[in-house]
Amino acid sequence: MIDLCPTTEEEAAEIIRAHAQAGTPLSIAGGNTRSGFGNAVTVEHRLRSTALSGIVAYNPGEMVLTARAGTPLAEIEAALAKSGQTMAFEPMDHRPLMGTSGEPTIGGIFAANVSGPRRLISGAARDSLLGVRFVNGRGEAIKAGGRVMKNVTGLDLVKLMAGSHGTLGLITEVTFRVPPKPKSEETIVISGLNDAEAANAMAAAMAMPVEVSGAAHLPMTVAWTFLGNRLPEGEATVLRIEGLPASVTTRAEKLAAAMAAFGPVARLGRDDSAILWREIRDVKPYADGGPRPVWRVSVAPSVGHQLVAALRLETGVDAFYDWQGGLVWMRMEADAEAGLLRRFMHILGGGHATLMRAPDAMRAATSAFEPQVDAVARLSARVKEKFDPVGIFSPGKMGGW
């Protein structure tokens, strides 16, 4: 595959116009750290944003940052750290799970709508996105939104680009919110709960006025892989509190006292807490370089454990839970079992199952994204036609599109 790396938005537009006129497909990539994700795309040319790099505007007092899409995520994080700010959506690093290399880019983060454990209170990546510049399938440069969103002008277009995985256009610039970074954090660990008991404990914690910013359950099969096997023995249900040090201490004490009704309670200080949630974010138990299929399943928090229990009656599956149980990371023992997984998921009320990793042959035979119902598929096709009338951007990557 030949990489095309334009250095300006105008150069990118020229490349896209030439491919549109010739009807030649392109795949879109940034740092390529999610290589292999999505349905297989057969193209000769890959258009990459890596040369469109650099922070365009950043005033910490405004808590808004604008950067070109190819800017390395590490550069963004370093600039934010100097000002005591952060990305609220806590983006995952896919490299360990996907077995890839390269550097994640800020454009790729938003193109894939990458969101970590704090999503349950801060929203997804798209919820922090204020503005975007991109080049559509006609080779036209489009600007939507801005540094301050005072009304709905352009807002829907901004949200639409987030999570489109390069199928609607090449993102060239993004503007997003950057709130203050929490000064401190603690994690409450409840030991020995089964999946259903953990779901009840997490629901009770989220209902308390203590502002839990992370809620996950780590069954015994995976708990030992976190923190160098320094968590208390057995299953671990973990709840994070963030904020100013004095406030964190007070709220953690209240939460620990309430959670003692569910099981033995321990507390992790700031450093261990930060390591633990980074490992949860990056799916450490399954970041083993192995070939076994890994699914990312989003369902209602109350039914995540029910889905896993139903699957275990039929096939071999390991799992752990984030987002109060609403995000289930699953590793299958053998086959992808897409039909079985999606059938049980819809019986339990619906959701989204995304195949993150699998051997090539298995991936070729399995839809990576949740199949759309007919009405949504028709709407998606019309949107795709408006943005990319010739269909040159990553054809087939998102299935029906």
Side-chain angles (χ1 to χ4, degrees), residues 13-336:
E14 290 176 5
I15 293 171
I16 290 170
R17 281 195 295 269
H19 280 73
Q21 290 168 5
T24 306
L26 281 166
S27 69
I28 303 294
N32 210 34
T33 59
R34 280 171 290 278
S35 176
F37 174 63
N39 298 318
V41 177
T42 302
V43 296
E44 294 183 2
H45 294 157
R46 179 169 54 199
L47 184 59
R48 300 185 63 176
S49 65
T50 46
L52 301 171
S53 182
I55 294 174
V56 175
Y58 176 38
N59 183 340
E62 296 178 349
M63 294 191 292
V64 174
L65 187 149
T66 299
R68 295 184 181 91
T71 309
L73 184 62
E75 182 178 332
I76 301 289
E77 290 175 331
L80 294 178
K82 289 180 180 179
S83 301
Q85 294 179 330
T86 190
M87 288 174 282
F89 49 93
E90 210 168 359
M92 171 185 177
D93 184 351
H94 282 87
R95 289 174 293 184
L97 177 66
M98 303 297 291
T100 56
S101 57
E103 288 293 326
T105 62
I106 192 63
I109 293 296
F110 284 108
N113 194 33
V114 181
S115 312
R118 205 180 288 118
R119 185 197 187 285
L120 80 172
I121 64 162
S122 297
R126 63 164 54 95
D127 297 304
S128 290
L129 192 60
L130 295 173
V132 64
R133 290 184 65 94
F134 66 96
V135 181
N136 67 14
R138 296 183 178 89
E140 301 167 336
I142 308 293
K143 178 182 178 181
R147 291 182 61 80
V148 179
M149 191 66 68
K150 294 183 178 180
N151 52 47
V152 298
T153 304
L155 180 60
D156 290 343
L157 198 56
V158 170
K159 305 301 185 187
L160 189 62
M161 291 302 295
S164 61
H165 295 273
T167 60
L168 299 180
L170 172 72
I171 294 176
T172 59
E173 185 180 284
V174 291
T175 298
F176 55 100
R177 299 184 185 92
V178 287
K181 183 177 181 179
K183 299 290 187 182
S184 186
E185 66 177 84
E186 281 194 34
T187 292
I188 303 302
V189 183
I190 313 160
S191 301
L193 305 186
N194 63 34
D195 292 4
E197 292 167 340
N200 291 333
M202 289 189 288
M206 295 304 298
M208 293 180 63
V210 293
E211 298 179 26
V212 173
S213 68
H217 177 60
L218 316 173
M220 190 180 300
T221 55
V222 301
W224 64 273
T225 67
F226 292 95
L227 273 184
N229 198 21
R230 289 186 288 109
L231 286 173
E233 185 176 355
E235 300 88 345
T237 306
V238 292
L239 305 164
R240 180 175 60 184
I241 298 286
E242 295 180 299
L244 296 173
S247 173
V248 166
T249 299
T250 300
R251 288 182 287 133
E253 288 173 353
K254 291 180 180 179
L255 182 60
M259 292 299 103
F262 292 91
V265 170
R267 290 168 67 171
L268 301 178
R270 181 180 62 183
D271 293 343
D272 279 348
S273 177
I275 294 170
L276 173 65
W277 287 97
R278 186 164 57 247
E279 293 176 344
I280 291 172
R281 180 198 73 181
D282 294 344
V283 197
K284 185 178 180 181
Y286 308 146
D288 53 6
R292 285 183 287 178
V294 173
W295 288 92
R296 180 184 184 275
V297 182
S298 178
V299 292
S302 60
V303 302
H305 67 282
Q306 298 178 45
L307 174 63
V308 173
L311 285 168
R312 283 176 173 160
L313 295 176
E314 303 287 342
T315 189
V317 57
D318 190 30
F320 74 95
Y321 309 83
D322 198 358
W323 300 356
Q324 195 198 326
L327 175 61
V328 189
W329 287 100
M330 298 183 184
R331 182 173 62 186
M332 316 305 286
E333 292 301 318
D335 295 333

